[in-house]
Amino acid sequence: MKIDKSDLIIRKLDLSELDTYMKFEQYVKDHMEHPEWLGDIPRDAYEKMLQNNSFIYVWTKAENKEIKLSDISQFVASGVLIPARQKDLDRFLQTDLKFEEVADFGPEMVSPEYIGNGLQCDVIRYIEKEAIDLGYKHGLGTVHPDNIYSLNNLIKCDFRDVAHVDLSRGPRDVLRKEFRI
């Protein structure tokens, strides 16, 4: 369905809304031909990330700005910014970087109703802007190698495919971007 992007607002997910976010994630997976492309992040891992300077950004309709997100229909898209750790750089074969300078682009999701509106690129660009504002100099993202949609969107946003790794959630291409500050 076509959406007027000017009707959308972006806000940070509150920890109290995490259960609804997890339902949205499952809803997105249930409508994917290859749900394994998204991978599985358990609730406790998301909780820990949110308590350690990670952010989940949600695209929602303007009328939901001040309302607690309690229903998956309120979600249009989402994306996650995760501060990298040294073990992430080791796993992603990016040990030439300083982990303090790297933002990991976690899962980006678009509600199945709104695919085709360019929202994943919007999510990636927004997370990059936020990462730069937080002082990060580099961005990393991992994508299942068969997920040409996400690969192409990251490449469209000037990420380079730099490595291939096998993680517990399956094979992943590692994409990297040096931010222009």
Side-chain angles (χ1 to χ4, degrees), residues 4-166:
D4 182 350
K5 293 181 187 181
S6 68
D7 289 340
L8 299 178
I9 58 127
I10 305 162
R11 69 179 190 77
K12 291 178 186 171
L13 186 87
D14 185 81
L15 185 57
S16 67
E17 300 167 313
L18 186 57
D19 287 331
T20 308
Y21 172 80
M22 298 293 298
K23 290 176 187 170
F24 172 65
E25 181 179 65
Q26 188 59 53
Y27 176 73
V28 169
K29 284 182 178 184
D30 289 346
H31 289 82
M32 291 176 69
E33 185 176 347
H34 302 284
E36 69 276 9
W37 288 356
L38 195 51
D40 287 316
I41 299 176
R43 187 191 195 290
D44 61 326
Y46 273 125
E47 198 171 301
K48 193 172 185 177
M49 288 188 310
L50 288 172
Q51 293 167 343
N52 289 296
N53 300 317
S54 293
F55 301 103
I56 298 175
Y57 299 100
V58 176
W59 278 247
T60 187
K61 295 182 179 163
E63 65 265 17
N64 296 324
K65 183 175 186 170
E66 302 299 326
I67 298 172
K68 181 178 177 183
L69 298 175
S70 59
D71 188 272
I72 61 171
S73 66
Q74 295 169 293
F75 289 78
V76 173
S78 66
V80 183
L81 184 153
I82 307 164
R85 301 166 297 177
Q86 186 58 51
K87 70 180 187 177
D88 300 320
L89 299 182
D90 295 341
R91 282 188 311 166
F92 301 157
L93 308 176
Q94 302 303 302
T95 55
D96 61 309
L97 299 174
K98 295 178 184 172
F99 75 90
E100 305 91 346
E101 298 178 347
V102 180
D104 185 348
F105 286 56
E108 296 104 31
M109 295 181 279
V110 176
S111 180
E113 291 82 10
Y114 301 109
I115 290 173
N117 285 285
L119 289 165
Q120 186 178 19
C121 281
D122 293 345
V123 170
I124 293 166
R125 288 183 185 111
Y126 185 84
I127 292 173
E128 178 180 347
K129 181 187 92 44
E130 291 294 302
I132 290 169
D133 288 350
L134 291 168
Y136 293 104
K137 297 180 180 179
H138 314 276
L140 290 178
T142 63
V143 179
H144 190 286
D146 294 336
N147 186 347
I148 59 168
Y149 310 105
S150 292
L151 278 169
N152 286 339
N153 283 325
L154 282 163
I155 290 168
K156 203 183 294 182
C157 293
D158 299 321
F159 279 75
R160 295 178 297 113
D161 198 340
V162 294
H164 180 84
V165 295
D166 289 309

